[in-house]
Amino acid sequence: MESNSLQNVSPFLWRIASSSALYLIAKILIRLVGGTNNKLNNNTKRTKPSRTLAVLGSGGHTTEMIRLLSSLSKEHYMPLYYIVASTDTTSINRLNSIHESENKQF
């Protein structure tokens, strides 16, 4: 008795195979449609600084954000704007202390 090998494949494996195939097709289509007009590949240089916005809250990412913002070049990323949660006095205090110690404009 000859059985069809496709009938022996579990539905779970079919889902994995079809999801993978759909993912690959979508990735190829996105690359074909959007890949040629990608602004990231544009080699033009900025002529003026970018206005930069940072959102600081009491979620615990203040240290990482301040470290990131401190490493940005003022020449390319100015002015810096901040949105700080009204309940987050820690971020405001840290920004003020960095401003005073490093003489940076925050």
Side-chain angles (χ1 to χ4, degrees):
M1 200 153 83
E2 207 174 296
S3 67
N4 190 350
S5 63
L6 293 178
Q7 292 175 349
N8 294 331
V9 177
S10 73
F12 177 72
L13 290 177
W14 272 112
R15 287 185 193 135
I16 291 174
S18 61
S19 297
S20 299
L22 286 173
Y23 172 77
L24 289 174
I25 291 169
K27 192 163 179 117
I28 291 169
L29 287 175
I30 289 170
R31 178 69 56 111
L32 289 174
V33 173
T36 58
N37 193 14
N38 192 347
K39 290 185 177 183
L40 293 176
N41 293 333
N42 193 351
N43 289 329
T44 59
K45 302 260 182 184
R46 275 194 156 278
T47 57
K48 61 182 184 176
S50 293
R51 290 175 288 180
T52 306
L53 174 69
V55 179
L56 301 176
S58 55
H61 71 283
T62 302
T63 302
E64 292 85 1
M65 269 311 250
I66 289 175
R67 187 177 306 138
L68 173 72
L69 294 168
S70 296
S71 69
L72 294 178
S73 166
K74 280 184 167 185
E75 191 176 305
H76 296 104
Y77 300 96
M78 280 307 268
L80 289 173
Y81 298 104
Y82 294 94
I83 296 177
V84 182
S86 61
T87 57
D88 185 16
T89 56
T90 306
S91 295
I92 295 171
N93 292 337
R94 292 183 76 182
L95 285 173
N96 287 334
S97 67
I98 288 173
H99 170 66
E100 291 169 4
S101 67
E102 295 182 6
N103 228 358
K104 287 192 173 187
Q105 180 183 354
F106 284 104

